[in-house]
Amino acid sequence: MTRDSQSGFTLIETLVALSVLAVSAVAFLSAVEAHVARIGGLEDRAIALWVLENGLAERRLNLQPDFQPAPILGLELRIEVEETTTADPDLVRLDLRALRLADGGAVARLTGFIDVGAKQRAEP
């Protein structure tokens, strides 16, 4: 049986080509979904860092920040603060962690230092 040069694809060739396209489309879709999930994680970390930076700034201003869980741009966070002394008696180290309220998963962490000696020097 000879094949005419003007003939098209056979049914088998067409099915193979379509199956290759289908597998490629599924692989591409899963890669896109993974990318979207990573972007969502970046947004959560950025929001959590904003909250932690604001809390650290309030502590530096000698205010007591309100770390009660509240929705912030759709994200509910619980903030933990650990205060430790340093070798310098005028400095206090603050470790702040933002945890997801739903599952307790860590979203972001921030470490800062506060000069408590300046407050004592300012008081008469």
Side-chain angles (χ1 to χ4, degrees):
M1 184 166 125
T2 62
R3 190 166 177 190
D4 186 14
S5 64
Q6 295 295 322
S7 65
F9 291 109
T10 65
L11 181 58
I12 300 279
E13 290 171 333
T14 304
L15 288 175
V16 168
L18 285 175
S19 63
V20 168
L21 284 174
V23 169
S24 300
V26 169
F28 178 72
L29 184 61
S30 64
V32 168
E33 287 176 350
H35 179 70
V36 168
R38 280 192 301 274
I39 294 299
L42 287 173
E43 289 176 356
D44 290 351
R45 284 191 293 277
I47 293 167
L49 278 173
W50 289 337
V51 172
L52 295 178
E53 287 172 354
N54 286 341
L56 184 61
E58 288 178 10
R59 292 289 293 264
R60 284 183 176 152
L61 293 171
N62 201 24
L63 302 172
Q64 291 301 320
D66 182 20
F67 284 133
Q68 297 300 318
I72 301 162
L73 297 174
L75 182 66
E76 292 194 46
L77 298 172
R78 179 175 53 118
I79 308 301
E80 292 181 352
V81 180
E82 182 181 336
E83 189 173 311
T84 55
T85 58
T86 62
D88 184 353
D90 289 341
L91 283 180
V92 173
R93 175 183 169 154
L94 288 180
D95 291 308
L96 295 96
R97 290 187 338 153
L99 306 171
R100 240 181 249 103
L101 195 59
D103 61 1
V107 180
R109 183 178 177 158
L110 181 68
T111 300
F113 295 89
I114 297 178
D115 183 9
V116 293
K119 175 185 165 188
Q120 293 170 351
R121 288 188 298 267
E123 293 175 356

